[in-house]
């Protein structure tokens, strides 16, 4: 199991390579020029001799987390693009471009929600901890950050938690449930203090 955090600037992209040869990309974007995000992501994948992504998982509807996907679909074959339902309710030009790109590439779109698991093989588990299957009215008030897809990747005793831009009611809901300790925590919302409170650190107790 190898997980790489790609330096894309103000944005996010994480590549998870599983022991059975599958590859999952969590978010792919940056503020501003989408190609500026696609280039470093592509470079890392090519350096690993990866030409196919089994899945792309998007955390939420902010362009700096997904605007490179359309360009990546021109460079790599992709099995499926997963996103939370919040993206389905945000009609923006960038989202329209994403939808057109997936349709042109013949890549299906799937929806992620709590308790969903991805096939990873060889003892690796990938579980969606958030958002819930049914988004409440609180989501409308809290914005799409609160509905960010949270992924827990684990192999044996080792755990990695990916949090997108999680904040607000979404963060409160997550830490109200069973505690999930982890070795590596991706600080929510690019390290924003309001998205990375002491309560989250207490809940996860990360090593890094």
């Amino acid at each position: 199991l190898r997980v790489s955090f790609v330096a894309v600037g103000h944005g996010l992209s994480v590549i998870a390579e599983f022991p059975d040869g599958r590859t999952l990309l969590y978010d792919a974007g940056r503020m501003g020029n989408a190609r500026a995000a696609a280039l470093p992501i592509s470079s890392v994948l090519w350096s690993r001799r990866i030409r196919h992504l089994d899945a792309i998982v998007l955390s939420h509807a902010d362009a700096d987390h997904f605007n490179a996907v359309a360009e990546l679909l021109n460079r790599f074959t992709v099995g499926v693009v997963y996103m939370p339902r919040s993206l389905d309710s945000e009609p923006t030009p960038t989202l329209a471009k994403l939808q057109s790109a997936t349709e042109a590439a013949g890549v299906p779109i799937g929806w992620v929600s709590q308790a969903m698991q991805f096939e990873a093989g060889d003892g690796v588990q990938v579980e969606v901890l958030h958002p819930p299957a049914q988004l409440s009215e609180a989501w409308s008030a809290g914005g799409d950050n609160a509905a960010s897809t949270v992924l827990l990747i684990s192999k044996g005793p080792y755990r990695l938690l990916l949090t997108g831009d999680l904040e607000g009611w979404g963060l409160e809901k997550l830490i109200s449930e069973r505690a999930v300790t982890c070795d590596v925590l991706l600080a929510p919302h690019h390290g924003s203090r309001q998205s990375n409170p002491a309560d989250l650190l207490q809940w996860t107790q990360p090593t890094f």
Side-chain angles (χ1 to χ4, degrees):
L1 173 64
R2 173 159 59 178
V3 179
S4 305
F5 293 81
V6 184
V8 292
H10 184 111
L12 181 64
S13 188
V14 182
I15 300 168
E17 301 170 65
F18 302 130
D20 67 355
R22 300 186 208 200
T23 303
L24 179 149
L25 182 65
Y26 178 86
D27 278 348
R30 63 163 287 164
M31 194 75 75
N33 191 324
R35 289 197 173 192
L39 180 58
I41 297 169
S42 300
S43 296
V44 174
L45 291 170
W46 286 329
S47 73
R48 303 274 205 268
R49 299 186 178 181
I50 296 171
R51 301 292 184 270
H52 174 76
L53 296 169
D54 293 275
I56 296 176
V57 179
L58 303 180
S59 63
H60 65 299
D62 286 354
D64 60 327
H65 289 256
F66 74 86
N67 65 358
V69 173
E71 182 67 27
L72 293 175
L73 289 172
N74 292 326
R75 305 181 182 195
F76 303 88
T77 58
V78 176
V80 60
V81 174
Y82 287 105
M83 58 183 70
R85 282 286 181 187
S86 58
L87 269 79
D88 196 31
S89 60
E90 294 277 337
T92 66
T94 310
L95 280 171
K97 182 179 180 181
L98 171 62
Q99 184 175 11
S100 297
T102 55
E103 290 176 354
V107 177
I109 290 178
W111 307 105
V112 295
S113 61
Q114 190 175 28
M116 180 179 177
Q117 295 188 353
F118 297 95
E119 292 291 333
D122 197 24
V124 177
Q125 293 182 324
V126 184
E127 181 183 0
V128 179
L129 301 186
H130 187 77
Q134 298 296 325
L135 292 175
S136 67
E137 293 182 0
W139 169 79
S140 299
D144 62 306
N145 284 354
S148 288
T149 302
V150 177
L151 281 191
L152 176 65
I153 301 176
S154 59
K155 178 174 173 57
Y158 302 106
R159 291 180 170 184
L160 168 73
L161 195 64
L162 303 176
T163 58
D165 278 0
L166 188 68
E167 62 185 11
W169 71 263
L171 180 58
E172 292 173 4
K173 183 181 185 304
L174 182 69
I175 63 178
S176 71
E177 299 177 354
R178 63 181 174 92
V180 177
T181 57
C182 66
D183 298 275
V184 178
L185 168 68
L186 172 69
H189 209 165
H190 316 281
S192 166
R193 290 185 178 182
Q194 73 181 60
S195 293
N196 189 22
D199 287 349
L200 177 62
L201 297 180
Q202 180 63 34
W203 187 75
T204 55
Q205 299 182 24
T207 304
F208 298 96

